[in-house]
Amino acid sequence: EHRLQCKDGSYKWILDRGMVVTRGEQGQAQRMLGTHADISARKQIEQSFHATTATMQEAQRIAQLGSWQLDLQTQVLDWSDEVFRIFEVDPQRFGATFEAFLAAIHPDDRDLVNDTYHRSLADRQPYAIVHRLLLPDGRIKWVEERGTSEFDAQGSATLSRGTVQDVTARRQAEAALAQSRDLLTTVINSVPARVFWKDLDLRYLGCNTAFAHDAGVASPQDVVGTFDTQLGWAAQAEAYGADDRDVMASG
């Protein structure tokens, strides 16, 4: 394959093929036959494909979202580069099978992932699951996996494909938020005061335990979504509402 310059200065890609068809008594080449084929269109498609693949790989790297495909006829599992990065697995040493994938999952989550996948095959439904990976050095990662499968005319699964996204940072943020929320709940339930908060329509969004008991209900959750007219001080609801509106108006 090589490029050929045209009269207008542009280039075409050419595929040359040739062979010796006549040789002399000493074996020397005397006559050759060959062809030139214009493969410019094919080259453009190849270049476009490579560019698209590079863009997709970069997008997966940024999103920490890899793709996979499992051929259920051959049991060969194909991972994108980003999945190898997420699992921190050497592509040359990966067994490229469903069993090799399961081996990388945290032992406590392995049965759940396996059951979820096979149940999706039985139900012919997509699936989504969040589970842990146990890395060789003992670190734990959280990933969100989504998958779907294709079936033949007889109803047998032939191919599964899906995505894997590293959600470790999200899970850590959720855990930190839950911890902060638990701490805040402990604080407001411990202070010797009634604490509540409402939206701008004066609907209760939450309160502490002491306030809930004053309202005549068992827990703060029973106050959420109510108005003063629905609680133990309904007779004073209009006055309380006027106070709230003054606070909002004055800042």
Side-chain angles (χ1 to χ4, degrees), residues 121-132:
L121 295 181
D123 298 340
R124 300 191 190 182
Q125 294 293 323
Y127 72 93
I129 186 172
V130 175
H131 63 83
R132 292 167 292 176

Side-chain angles (χ1 to χ4, degrees), residues 21 26 28 44 64 68 74 102 142 158 180 207 214 226 246:
V21 294
Q26 306 301 320
Q28 72 276 20
Q44 289 175 349
Q64 294 183 301
W68 58 269
T74 63
L102 285 178
W142 285 90
T158 59
S180 297
C207 66
D214 284 354
T226 66
D246 285 343

Side-chain angles (χ1 to χ4, degrees), residues 131-190:
H131 63 83
R132 292 167 292 176
L133 304 179
L134 180 60
L135 303 181
D137 61 4
R139 286 180 296 119
I140 291 176
K141 279 187 177 180
W142 285 90
V143 298
E144 181 175 31
E145 181 186 344
R146 296 177 179 271
T148 187
S149 299
E150 297 177 2
F151 301 84
D152 60 20
Q154 288 70 44
S156 298
T158 59
L159 183 75
S160 296
R161 58 167 58 94
T163 59
V164 178
Q165 185 171 27
D166 185 347
V167 295
T168 305
R170 188 184 78 191
R171 293 288 295 201
Q172 291 173 341
E174 290 172 350
L177 180 62
Q179 187 176 27
S180 297
R181 187 182 299 114
D182 291 344
L183 176 61
L184 178 61
T185 299
T186 300
V187 170
I188 67 172
N189 282 329
S190 300

Side-chain angles (χ1 to χ4, degrees), residues 44-116:
Q44 289 175 349
I45 292 173
E46 289 176 352
Q47 291 168 358
S48 177
F49 173 77
H50 291 318
T52 300
T53 300
T55 300
M56 182 182 69
Q57 290 176 342
E58 180 64 10
Q60 288 193 2
R61 185 189 66 79
I62 293 172
Q64 294 183 301
L65 175 71
S67 57
W68 58 269
Q69 180 172 289
L70 175 62
D71 186 330
L72 293 168
Q73 308 299 314
T74 63
Q75 294 301 311
V76 173
L77 178 61
D78 182 45
W79 278 359
S80 70
D81 290 344
E82 185 58 27
V83 178
F84 284 108
R85 278 193 287 269
I86 292 172
F87 278 66
E88 298 185 23
V89 172
D90 183 352
Q92 305 303 320
R93 298 182 180 180
F94 179 62
T97 63
F98 184 73
E99 288 69 25
F101 156 70
L102 285 178
I105 296 175
H106 193 289
D108 293 344
D109 295 349
R110 202 168 289 159
D111 288 342
L112 175 62
V113 173
N114 190 39
D115 291 346
T116 299

Side-chain angles (χ1 to χ4, degrees), residues 1-3 11-17 35-51:
E1 296 179 2
H2 62 86
R3 284 170 293 179
Y11 285 89
K12 288 184 177 180
W13 276 96
I14 302 297
L15 174 63
D16 273 355
R17 295 181 183 274
T35 61
H36 286 177
D38 184 347
I39 58 170
S40 301
R42 193 196 79 191
K43 279 291 189 179
Q44 289 175 349
I45 292 173
E46 289 176 352
Q47 291 168 358
S48 177
F49 173 77
H50 291 318

